[in-house]
Amino acid sequence: MVENHSQGYVYSPVARVLHWLIAGLIFAQFIIGWTMPDVHRDTLPTGEIAWHLSVGAAIVAVMVIRIAWRMTHPPEPATLSPQLSLASNATHWLLYILLVAVPLAGWANASARGWMVNLFGIVPFPALAPKGSPVGMALGDIHSVIAWVLVVLIALHIAAALFHRFVLRDSVLKRML
Ligand code: HEM
Ligand code: HEM
């Protein structure tokens, strides 16, 4: 925890780097996910799809570090009304849940398709589901649907950050910059 007495609490440098690294990876992953070719039964994991798998593996790896860091370094809560504090905690919890569930569903689907997931060709990830697994195949559709839920939550989260900065004019955004 880093205390800045003139401006109040700010997240530690590690927490801030992890937050913005994940934000960048997620934005990249949505652009790749939406522009890559449609995935069918006989599609091969090449080109943009290979990028989607590698960026996805990077998201999984960074999220493991981020969650471990967060559990061992809880931040100081922001000074908010009980209602705003509840909304903020609920959104952050849901964000964490989806930042785990969306990649895991995609990874299980890749495994069910018989695709190897690895971190930029260097670190191989184990298969999460056997090839042809019906559950793994169904998780492909779930992956696409819950990725949309994640988009909505991120939009809400960004709107809340801008609301704090420009309407409430408090220091919540500064905590993460
Ligand atoms: C938070 C991270 C991720 C986001 C935001 C994301 C987003 C997306 C999006 C938007 C699509 C296209 C859906 C559509 O147009 O129907 C997609 C498809 C897909 N993604 Fe991800 N993805 C993520 C992580 C991963 C990971 C980690 C993997 C595997 C290691 C993965 C594997 C796949 C596969 C296999 C598809 C095709 C699914 C199908 O069409 O059945 N994704 N993803
Ligand atoms: C993909 C995009 C993003 C994701 C997934 C994300 C996720 C998160 C999560 C999970 C937290 C909770 C941190 C914790 O207490 O452990 C958080 C905090 C925060 N985020 Fe984001 N974020 C994203 C983008 C942004 C953007 C673009 C902004 C600014 C416009 C922003 C501003 C903040 C702020 C100010 C906090 C701290 C709130 C507080 O003090 O309680 N985030 N973010």
Side-chain angles (χ1 to χ4, degrees):
M1 281 190 216
V2 175
E3 198 73 46
N4 177 335
H5 289 287
S6 60
Q7 295 184 331
Y9 175 86
V10 288
Y11 278 80
S12 68
V14 175
R16 280 178 281 149
V17 165
L18 289 171
H19 173 271
W20 292 109
L21 185 59
I22 284 290
L25 287 168
I26 296 284
F27 280 123
Q29 188 69 328
F30 272 115
I31 291 169
I32 301 170
W34 284 328
T35 57
M36 71 189 189
D38 281 346
V39 174
H40 301 293
R41 206 154 271 281
D42 48 0
T43 305
L44 291 175
T46 55
E48 272 202 286
I49 299 178
W51 276 99
H52 191 75
L53 300 184
S54 272
V55 173
I59 291 171
V60 171
V62 179
M63 276 311 292
V64 169
I65 298 170
R66 185 169 181 192
I67 289 172
W69 181 269
R70 177 65 167 79
M71 286 168 73
T72 49
H73 302 77
E76 208 169 273
T79 328
L80 300 175
S81 68
Q83 292 90 333
L84 272 190
S85 167
L86 184 73
S88 148
N89 285 338
T91 316
H92 291 165
W93 261 101
L94 273 175
L95 277 168
Y96 276 116
I97 290 169
L98 284 167
L99 289 171
V100 171
V102 172
L104 286 186
W107 178 4
N109 181 249
S111 304
R113 292 179 187 282
W115 297 351
M116 255 297 284
V117 175
N118 60 66
L119 195 60
F120 302 106
I122 304 167
V123 186
F125 277 39
L128 269 198
K131 193 173 174 186
S133 140
V135 174
M137 292 311 282
L139 281 169
D141 290 336
I142 291 175
H143 177 67
S144 306
V145 172
I146 59 178
W148 275 108
V149 181
L150 182 57
V151 171
V152 172
L153 269 181
I154 290 172
L156 251 177
H157 175 69
I158 295 175
L162 298 178
F163 184 74
H164 278 286
R165 173 68 187 81
F166 295 109
V167 180
L168 300 178
R169 292 174 189 272
D170 59 23
S171 55
V172 165
L173 179 55
K174 276 200 204 129
R175 286 157 57 91
M176 200 44 107
L177 293 179

